[in-house]
Amino acid sequence: MSLDLDALCIRAADGAALFQPLTLNVPVGEVVTVMGPSGVGKSTLLDAIGGHLAHGFRLTGRVRLNGRDVTGLPAEARRIGLMFQDALLFPHLSVGDNLAFGLSPGLRGCAERRAAVEAALSQAGLGGLYERDPATLSGGQRARAALMRTLLADPAALLLDEPFSKLDARLREDMRRFTFAHVTSRAIPTLMVTHDPDDAVAAGGSVIALEGSSPT
């Protein structure tokens, strides 16, 4: 049970590979960190894994989740959550309704859905803020709300794209602990892209250096 990449490679419209073919295994409950220079294609790699690869790029290789080949599936069928460096909460929805947006369709009934969101808010230290306007939250509160929304979708794997880079030093430490504890407790294989070596140290898993493809 894991997230596996098999000789994954992404080519631009001109046919040039962004990086060398990548093969790796992300075990359940662990965080594997991808590092590399700007422009090498780290965020594009996450887009490809999640099923959001932009038009003009071409993917070769395979993405497997718990043994299932998901390479050709649309994003909504992959069960792969993606968390960005910006805590993107919908400004027209309350904090609670933002989290409810991420709930699995299998959870039905207003009372059950409300209870699931309230429980998630409590876990995130946001109890009692269901009706709050997201604009009134601090940076750390927004980050925790965004993570819980992603987790409420019950992802089978998680992708983190520079998730702590917009937070100050104290909040970065808090969010690292909060995020990695949830990854471990929920046994979610997680792939993280970051420029910050301290993120990789806190994650505790293996570190992969993404290397640009040599010109031919």
Side-chain angles (χ1 to χ4, degrees):
M1 304 293 279
S2 60
L3 173 65
D4 296 281
L5 309 183
D6 182 11
L8 204 69
C9 185
I10 300 170
R11 295 183 180 275
D14 62 1
L18 302 187
F19 47 78
Q20 299 289 342
L22 180 63
T23 296
L24 63 83
N25 167 262
V26 186
V28 294
E30 294 190 20
V31 180
V32 171
T33 302
V34 175
M35 304 188 75
S38 296
V40 76
K42 299 185 297 298
S43 293
T44 306
L45 168 66
L46 297 189
D47 288 340
I49 296 169
H52 306 283
L53 191 62
H55 179 73
F57 291 101
R58 182 169 60 88
L59 173 69
T60 58
R62 290 285 176 263
V63 180
R64 292 186 173 86
L65 183 54
N66 298 334
R68 178 190 182 204
D69 188 345
V70 300
T71 314
L73 295 180
E76 61 272 16
R78 297 194 183 195
R79 290 190 61 208
I80 299 177
L82 179 58
M83 184 175 170
F84 301 97
Q85 57 184 299
D86 293 308
L88 301 175
L89 300 177
F90 301 117
H92 62 288
L93 298 178
S94 70
V95 172
D97 286 340
N98 261 280
L99 268 67
F101 188 85
L103 282 170
S104 169
L107 186 61
R108 300 181 178 180
C110 291
E112 289 187 14
R113 293 174 69 85
R114 175 79 183 220
V117 171
E118 292 283 12
L121 287 171
S122 180
Q123 289 178 36
L126 303 173
L129 301 185
Y130 192 107
E131 304 296 342
R132 180 76 71 86
D133 182 339
T136 67
L137 299 183
S138 68
Q141 288 174 324
R142 286 196 300 272
R144 281 178 277 153
L147 175 64
M148 295 311 293
R149 182 178 62 188
T150 300
L151 294 177
L152 281 174
D154 192 26
L158 186 60
L159 308 175
L160 304 176
D161 190 0
E162 299 279 0
F164 316 119
S165 63
K166 294 293 184 71
L167 303 174
D168 64 35
R170 182 184 62 79
L171 286 177
R172 276 201 301 273
E173 291 183 13
D174 290 344
M175 275 304 299
R176 285 179 189 133
R177 286 193 296 268
F178 181 78
T179 301
F180 300 148
H182 277 76
V183 165
T184 300
S185 66
R186 296 176 184 233
I188 303 174
T190 300
L191 188 64
M192 176 175 63
V193 159
T194 183
H195 285 96
D196 188 344
D198 289 339
D199 289 346
V201 171
S206 58
V207 179
I208 306 296
L210 200 62
E211 300 179 0
S213 183
S214 301
T216 55

